[in-house]
Amino acid sequence: KDFRMWLTSMPSNRFPVSILQNGVKMTNEPPKGLKANLKSTFATMSETEFEFTERKDKSHYHKLVFGLAMMHAVVQERRTFGSLGWNIPYGF
């Protein structure tokens, strides 16, 4: 009676529907838009994580963190379009 199970599942015909119907559903949606995604990323970072490098000049590390956060935000935004845009060759 005191049993809890965290379950992550993609839609599948093999997965019993009754488990999904009887369970509590929770979602964690990424923020909409690049600006909101970047704000969320930097809001969850602590000062020690942002100043992690041991170098005196931290600008290279900050640029690297921003570049990684920006790439993550772009990928999260592009995910809403599915496969469209990732595997279609463009003329330019």
Side-chain angles (χ1 to χ4, degrees):
K1 294 187 178 205
D2 292 335
F3 178 76
R4 291 184 183 173
M5 177 173 67
W6 291 93
L7 179 68
T8 303
S9 175
M10 293 292 291
S12 171
N13 294 335
R14 296 180 184 177
F15 193 81
V17 177
S18 61
I19 293 176
L20 292 175
Q21 290 173 340
N22 291 328
V24 176
K25 288 99 181 156
M26 298 174 67
T27 60
N28 185 8
E29 296 289 329
K32 297 290 182 195
L34 289 176
K35 185 176 180 179
N37 199 317
L38 285 171
K39 277 184 173 180
S40 172
T41 299
F42 286 111
T44 57
M45 287 181 70
S46 68
E47 188 70 28
T48 56
E49 290 173 329
F50 194 66
E51 302 292 336
F52 182 71
T53 185
E54 295 176 0
R55 293 178 153 214
K56 300 228 188 269
D57 180 22
K58 298 180 192 251
S59 65
H60 294 298
Y61 180 72
H62 292 168
K63 289 175 186 176
L64 180 68
V65 169
F66 178 77
L68 185 61
M70 185 65 156
M71 186 186 94
H72 179 264
V74 168
V75 170
Q76 289 286 66
E77 276 298 300
R78 293 299 302 165
R79 211 171 58 160
T80 60
F81 298 105
S83 61
L84 181 67
W86 290 113
N87 53 1
I88 298 173
Y90 293 101
F92 56 87

